[in-house]
Amino acid sequence: MKEYRIQGLSCANCAKELEQEIHKLEQGHTAKILYNSGKLKIDQAVDLQAVKKILASDGAALVQEASAVTGSTHLTEETGSDHTHEHGSEGGKWKLLLSLSTVIFLTLIIFESQLSSYVAIPGYILATAISGYATFVKGLKNLIRLKFNINTLMTIALVGAFSIGEWKEGTLVAILFGLNEYLEGLGMEKARRSMAALLDVAPKQATVLIGNQEQVVPVEQLQVADVVLVRAGEKIPSDGIVLSGTSSVNEAAITGESMPVDKVEGESVFGGSINNEGVLRVTITKAYEESSLSKILHLVEEAQETKTPTEQFINRFAQYYTPLIMVISAIVMLFPPLFFGGDWGTWLYQGLAVLIVGCPCALILSSPIAIVSGITVNARNGILIKGGVFLEQLGKIDTIAFDKTGTLTKGEPHVQQWQVYDAALFSVAAAIESTSSHPIAKAVMNEVQKHDVNHLEATQLKTIAGQGVTAIIHEQRYFVGNEALMTSLNIPSNIQQVMDHYKAQGWTLVIVADEQHILGLFGIADETREESKQVISNLHHVGIKQTVMLTGDHQMTAEKVAQQVGVSAVYAGLLPEQKVEKMKELAKKGKVAMIGDGINDAPALATADLGIAMGKGTDSAIETADIVLMQDHLGKLPAAVSISRNVNRIIKFNIVFSLALKAFALLLTIPGVLTLWIAILADMGATIFVTLVSLTVLIESKKEKEVQLQRAD
């Protein structure tokens, strides 16, 4: 498959019809026009000249190849720069033609009383031809093929207006429809350019080290184990590990976080992140097409083309809408004169106005610009939404279930509190726990290293499952573990009180003892993420009715974390299959999203109406969930919910507004006061208005980001 950019693609319905025409070509059945991104994906065997002719029939044209690598998601150099549709030469030509026809029209209006019909009529025809030529030609072709779309309706209206002598209004219809087409394309292009700016973060080339020689190669030629040189200000070409060098790296392209992350030898880096200073030598661990950034960009491009249930409904509705309008127009033209003695000229005029009002432009544009804008804004924030359907779903969620460990908490146990009863506590703990890789042992060691300890050697270490570890130090046996390991000890009441207090706090208890005495205690807790409490509060503020914690941890620990973060309900001690059952129960009461790490919680994520994974670029997270929080924290989740709800509100408003305005205009036919002026203004006004309203998703996001930066300063 090859991918090309299409210039002049401003109508979603026309794009669908063009795709159907291309399907009729030999080997063209797999072709796909991506209207939202202005691209064509097509088999290499298809005759490009035939494709160009089909596109030219609707005023569109192939610009140039966007990607020649099968299956690759990288964008070649021209992809980020070639956006001429409405902003380059094509846009300039349209503006010039519209300006010229408008000047001619206004001149004729101003000097109307001084001009004869032999001058005025050719002038109106000239102005109409300049601004409406493309529409007229496409409309005539459609009429010959009995294909009825927007261009067909407008052509019939123009011919009809001129045939009854409405030269002035017919010309205005042509000019305003041309302006409408231009502004419609301008709005869609704004959304496309916003998406293109996001996709342009992809690195284009890499400096590969071969011995002592440097060689610049395209990123798609990178192979695993290649060593690349990344200087200050350059993009890291693909995922890898720092071989040498120290620097801070901007990972905003992956995580949406603008704060730099320090990188040293041995640490992993993401392709597309920017090296701020210093020089890094990086060993490539993934070919570019397998890198985190490549997968993200690929999914973002796919996401903007998926159809939501609302869009699918609009498309189905539009198939019947245009023929229905033509039937209504015919009834308006024929019934009053035939059955009620109406004037043929008057009702022909009214019927033509109905045709113009009936153009479904505004209705078709009610959704795609808002959807593309919403996906783009969230992607910039490091929130990967895999399709418009999931964006729409996120806006409908009323319950969010959270896994505890690694989601609401950091998933890194640490010593919350400790108690010393013998000076040997830290030395004994260090000797025994230093040999273990268990997370709790690491937490104890992190605390022990803060204190002065004597170096002791532990021998005959023995792990007792579910209890702890025993070892011999200086010919004496010691124990490090929980209460079950200390059954032979007579624990004094004062120490038991401290132990009970630790457990009441929801902490995991680690006891260090010899065969007669307890040397000390450690209270281990999984530290709550700093942002969790504020995130839960913000989620409730943006309309989430219930927040639930699902965890396999014991009840007391879970309730402690729940109190700290403020979730509505907590269910503890759950096995994976029990989490699934709980998700099914919650789903009976409303729309439910589940947030987990994308691996351990995979069954619950799949069961939920919406699966959200904590990711930071991990392959498993990107592949398993409907939405991925690339920052690996919950901070941006409330904003994503808010954006999604806003997109849903905008789409509903656009649909209601466009239909209501058209219905109002059509009702004006009853008293016979609908004019071509009102009709075209109603159609154009609705289209421009829904486009501008949809673009507010981008504008509001930009303002919000500026406010956040000001707060950070």
Side-chain angles (χ1 to χ4, degrees), residues 512-527:
V512 181
D514 58 23
E515 293 178 304
Q516 286 84 34
H517 309 95
I518 289 179
L519 307 183
L521 310 170
F522 294 96
I524 309 294
D526 185 1
E527 188 175 0

Side-chain angles (χ1 to χ4, degrees), residues 260-405:
V261 180
D262 291 333
K263 298 293 181 180
V264 297
E265 183 179 332
E267 293 194 347
S268 61
V269 290
F270 296 116
S273 52
I274 301 172
N275 180 20
N276 288 330
E277 73 271 340
V279 178
L280 295 176
R281 291 172 68 230
V282 176
T283 301
I284 299 299
T285 56
K286 292 180 182 177
Y288 176 75
E289 56 267 24
E290 296 298 322
S291 70
S292 301
L293 179 65
S294 175
K295 290 181 178 180
I296 291 169
L297 299 184
H298 177 64
L299 288 171
V300 168
E301 281 204 288
E302 284 190 340
Q304 61 180 325
E305 299 299 336
T306 59
K307 299 297 182 186
T308 68
T310 302
E311 286 182 293
Q312 290 171 352
F313 165 76
I314 290 173
N315 288 340
R316 287 195 302 269
F317 180 77
Q319 289 177 356
Y320 304 101
Y321 178 83
T322 302
L324 178 63
I325 286 296
M326 296 196 71
V327 171
I328 293 174
S329 176
I331 292 172
V332 171
M333 289 179 184
L334 299 175
F335 269 54
L338 288 175
F339 300 103
F340 303 104
D343 178 69
W344 281 98
T346 300
W347 288 104
L348 178 60
Y349 179 89
Q350 292 285 301
L352 294 174
V354 169
L355 282 181
I356 296 172
V357 169
C359 290
C361 300
L363 185 64
I364 292 172
L365 276 181
S366 295
S367 180
I369 295 178
I371 290 290
V372 172
S373 299
I375 290 173
T376 302
V377 169
N378 279 306
R380 285 177 182 167
N381 287 337
I383 298 172
L384 178 61
I385 298 178
K386 294 186 178 180
V389 62
F390 303 123
L391 180 73
E392 188 174 282
Q393 190 80 297
L394 181 60
K396 297 177 180 177
I397 291 297
D398 52 32
T399 300
I400 298 182
F402 299 86
D403 175 47
K404 178 180 76 69
T405 304

